[in-house]
Amino acid sequence: MQANIAPLENISVDDCHYTLTNDGGVGFATPAGNLAVRGLKVSRSTFTAPGGIGASLSQVEGSFSQTAFNGGTAMETTDSVVECTGCTADGSRPLGGTAAAIGVKAYGGLVSWSGGSITVTGPAESKTTEGNVRVSAETRRSPAPPLIRAVIRQEVVAQSEPQVDGSNTFANVFPPINVANVSKVAIEVTVRRLAPGYPAAPIPTPAWAMIDANFFRIYFAGVALSPSTYRIAYRFTEVE
């Protein structure tokens, strides 16, 4: 599909199935070096290119639904914005080969993949996705992507006396290192009663705010927690 005179718009492909018999070809292509393809809609179709690329899309804005892509690279896009719903991508190359299998690859632009599955089989370097590909939690991925554990930049576990401000209560937290990014901060808060017994009033869920890079405050609205009766325990964490 080539837009070499004017951009192509509002093209639909339904119930089409293409399988290449030669090795290394492209099942469905909008080649680079042409004009844009906008409003492309493909549904209930199959594009298979053994050892090649199931679909290669350049400068495409469009959507695919219930469509299967099969190849050494199942789908690759360049400078495109593509939505895939209920689709399957199967990238497959020989296990002993040197080329990696890729499920979905995006060079620039964005591929949004919702539902369906993305599967790769091949050498260890094979990937289900590469580049700017957003995959929904409902999508089956094989092999599953590795879990990425957050690296803790700093952590403080402590308790402090509550400070009463009229009918409210607050507690201050002073991390030892200036916080680099507040969006990577978490504060877990619990209230400990020093002696057995029930609180005189329900204790609300606390809120917290950053006052300065090394100064945070925990707030309890509408309740005065006496320092002779309570302690505020907290776990402050900032990750890399």
Side-chain angles (χ1 to χ4, degrees), residues 20-40:
L20 302 184
T21 56
N22 60 306
D23 189 63
V26 179
F28 181 84
T30 59
N34 294 284
L35 300 174
V37 177
R38 306 188 187 101
L40 175 66

Side-chain angles (χ1 to χ4, degrees), residues 121-138:
T121 55
E125 297 80 10
S126 300
K127 303 176 183 178
T128 54
T129 61
E130 183 176 299
N132 193 18
V133 182
R134 297 180 184 175
V135 180
S136 74
E138 296 80 16

Side-chain angles (χ1 to χ4, degrees), residues 54 59 61 70 76 92-93 98 106 109-110 130 132 145 195 198 200 230:
Q59 299 186 76
E61 296 177 8
N70 306 289
E76 71 172 21
S92 179
R93 293 191 186 275
T98 57
L110 170 67
E130 183 176 299
N132 193 18
Y198 295 102
Y230 295 98

Side-chain angles (χ1 to χ4, degrees), residues 7 43-44 79-80 87 95 113-114 133 145-146 151 172 204 217 237 239:
S43 64
R44 301 181 304 276
D79 299 326
S80 299
C87 296
L95 290 174
W113 195 283
S114 178
V133 182
V151 176
N172 294 327
R217 180 164 287 175
T237 307
V239 298

Side-chain angles (χ1 to χ4, degrees), residues 160-181:
S160 65
E161 290 187 358
Q163 300 186 51
V164 177
D165 180 15
S167 59
N168 305 306
T169 303
F170 68 89
N172 294 327
V173 178
F174 300 98
I177 305 172
N178 285 355
V179 167
N181 187 343

Side-chain angles (χ1 to χ4, degrees), residues 11-216:
I11 295 175
S12 296
V13 179
D14 301 313
D15 297 299
C16 293
H17 305 277
Y18 298 92
T19 300
L20 302 184
T21 56
N22 60 306
D23 189 63
V26 179
F28 181 84
T30 59
N34 294 284
L35 300 174
V37 177
R38 306 188 187 101
L40 175 66
K41 293 185 178 181
V42 180
S43 64
R44 301 181 304 276
S45 297
T46 305
F47 305 103
T48 301
I53 302 172
S56 178
L57 310 173
S58 177
Q59 299 186 76
V60 171
E61 296 177 8
S63 62
F64 293 79
S65 63
Q66 297 178 312
T67 295
F69 308 93
N70 306 289
T73 295
M75 172 191 275
E76 71 172 21
T77 67
T78 303
D79 299 326
S80 299
V81 178
V82 176
E83 294 184 2
C84 298
T85 304
C87 296
T88 61
D90 185 1
S92 179
R93 293 191 186 275
L95 290 174
T98 57
I102 304 294
V104 181
K105 179 189 295 186
Y107 299 102
L110 170 67
V111 175
S112 299
W113 195 283
S114 178
S117 64
I118 305 175
T119 302
V120 294
T121 55
E125 297 80 10
S126 300
K127 303 176 183 178
T128 54
T129 61
E130 183 176 299
N132 193 18
V133 182
R134 297 180 184 175
V135 180
S136 74
E138 296 80 16
T139 302
R140 299 183 302 277
R141 299 173 71 174
S142 178
L147 294 175
I148 300 176
R149 297 185 179 275
V151 176
I152 294 178
R153 182 172 184 261
Q154 61 175 322
E155 181 180 38
V156 179
V157 178
Q159 67 176 10
S160 65
E161 290 187 358
Q163 300 186 51
V164 177
D165 180 15
S167 59
N168 305 306
T169 303
F170 68 89
N172 294 327
V173 178
F174 300 98
I177 305 172
N178 285 355
V179 167
N181 187 343
V182 68
S183 68
K184 297 185 177 182
V185 169
I187 304 178
E188 302 170 26
V189 182
T190 58
V191 177
R192 181 170 69 91
R193 187 175 170 86
L194 298 180
Y198 295 102
I203 299 175
T205 301
W208 60 266
M210 185 172 78
I211 309 299
D212 204 348
N214 65 344
F215 178 17
F216 286 70

